Amino acid sequence: MIKKAFIFDLDGVIVDTAKFHFIAWQRLAASLGINFTEHENEQLKGVSRVNSLKKILEWGNKEISPELFQAKMDQKNEEYLELIETLDVNDIMPGVHDFLLELKKQDQPIALGSASKNARPILEKLGIKDLFQVIVDGTNVTKAKPDPEVFLCACEQLGYSAQESIVFEDSVAGVQAANTAGMISIGLGEQDILHEADEVFSHFTDMPQDYINTLLSKKK
Ligand code: B16
Ligand code: MG
């Protein structure tokens, strides 16, 4: 039986935490007098916490001390953690749970490749942490997406090559990271935004019947 490494991004793919990151960044930007809309937020998807704050400051043409920078990052994370406090199994994106269970049934290797430092507690809240053989997140990697480090680390830990790996991503930076690694990239979101992906779906529920089989024989 053919096997491939199935690597999932977390925020925006498995769970809709992207909207909570947006609220928390927007509040933070407002506290610094910086305008922050959905347009800017799109560019922060998949981007690490520290790089996100750097970008916001750049957009607002603001410089702050290293102490305030750290305080603002902590403040953003505290607000974000409050917003996701009540996450549970019902917050898993449509079709994702069934897709993961089908992969498990077919004994396909599954990994998480996320920029988030909150990935493990979030998977626990959702009750799906045990479905992942490997978890690579913001606590394990030094180079942020679009660098492919997070996905290369994940496939290596699963014991597969990049060419045998498939990445599911909602962010432009993440799709670029998968493509740079030579992995098949499946975008979850809007075609216009994720046009660099090998294929794009709005949701997992829009994938054709038996799509896992299609993926198993798909070549980059
Ligand atoms: P945290 P992903 C990314 O997760 C988010 O898309 C991005 O918006 C966030 O800033 C980043 O994680 C860091 O998250 O502040 O929780 O460490 O999409 O790569 O799963
Ligand atoms: Mg994401």
Side-chain angles (χ1 to χ4, degrees), residues 73-123:
M73 278 215 301
D74 294 347
Q75 181 191 331
K76 186 269 171 181
N77 197 46
E78 275 164 31
E79 296 214 13
Y80 174 67
L81 290 177
E82 267 172 40
L83 290 164
I84 61 163
E85 177 96 45
T86 57
L87 275 191
D88 65 20
V89 66
N90 299 310
D91 294 297
I92 299 175
M93 300 281 259
V96 172
H97 208 173
D98 286 346
F99 194 86
L100 289 170
L101 292 176
E102 185 54 36
L103 288 177
K104 214 64 198 168
K105 202 163 114 195
Q106 297 192 23
D107 206 20
Q108 296 291 339
I110 306 175
L112 189 88
S114 165
S116 176
K117 293 188 171 168
N118 297 301
R120 284 177 170 81
I122 290 175
L123 287 180

Side-chain angles (χ1 to χ4, degrees), residues 33-205:
I34 299 171
N35 188 38
F36 184 83
T37 67
E38 294 269 8
H39 173 74
E40 283 83 27
N41 188 57
E42 199 56 51
Q43 298 170 59
L44 296 189
K45 286 187 180 171
V47 176
S48 67
R49 204 180 305 164
V50 58
N51 286 344
S52 298
L53 182 50
K54 280 185 192 162
K55 277 183 188 248
I56 291 172
L57 291 169
E58 247 174 62
W59 292 328
N61 230 334
K62 276 237 147 70
E63 276 187 30
I64 57 176
S65 69
E67 294 75 24
L68 187 58
F69 189 97
Q70 187 57 49
K72 288 289 170 193
M73 278 215 301
D74 294 347
Q75 181 191 331
K76 186 269 171 181
N77 197 46
E78 275 164 31
E79 296 214 13
Y80 174 67
L81 290 177
E82 267 172 40
L83 290 164
I84 61 163
E85 177 96 45
T86 57
L87 275 191
D88 65 20
V89 66
N90 299 310
D91 294 297
I92 299 175
M93 300 281 259
V96 172
H97 208 173
D98 286 346
F99 194 86
L100 289 170
L101 292 176
E102 185 54 36
L103 288 177
K104 214 64 198 168
K105 202 163 114 195
Q106 297 192 23
D107 206 20
Q108 296 291 339
I110 306 175
L112 189 88
S114 165
S116 176
K117 293 188 171 168
N118 297 301
R120 284 177 170 81
I122 290 175
L123 287 180
E124 266 165 24
K125 274 176 189 287
L126 301 176
I128 54 171
K129 187 157 167 268
D130 293 347
L131 293 173
F132 294 84
Q133 273 147 270
V134 163
I135 294 175
V136 184
D137 64 17
T139 64
N140 309 114
V141 292
T142 49
K143 295 181 212 138
K145 299 168 187 175
D147 189 286
E149 184 186 16
V150 63
F151 297 140
L152 288 172
C153 225
C155 77
E156 194 182 311
Q157 285 187 37
L158 284 174
Y160 287 77
S161 67
Q163 289 68 33
E164 295 169 308
S165 300
I166 301 160
V167 169
F168 299 88
E169 255 294 346
D170 72 311
S171 72
V172 175
V175 165
Q176 289 169 343
N179 289 344
T180 304
M183 299 173 172
I184 290 172
S185 53
I186 308 296
L188 273 306
E190 290 176 37
Q191 173 68 38
D192 287 1
I193 295 172
L194 301 175
H195 55 86
E196 289 172 65
D198 292 315
E199 258 188 283
V200 179
F201 298 97
S202 294
H203 293 102
F204 277 78
T205 41

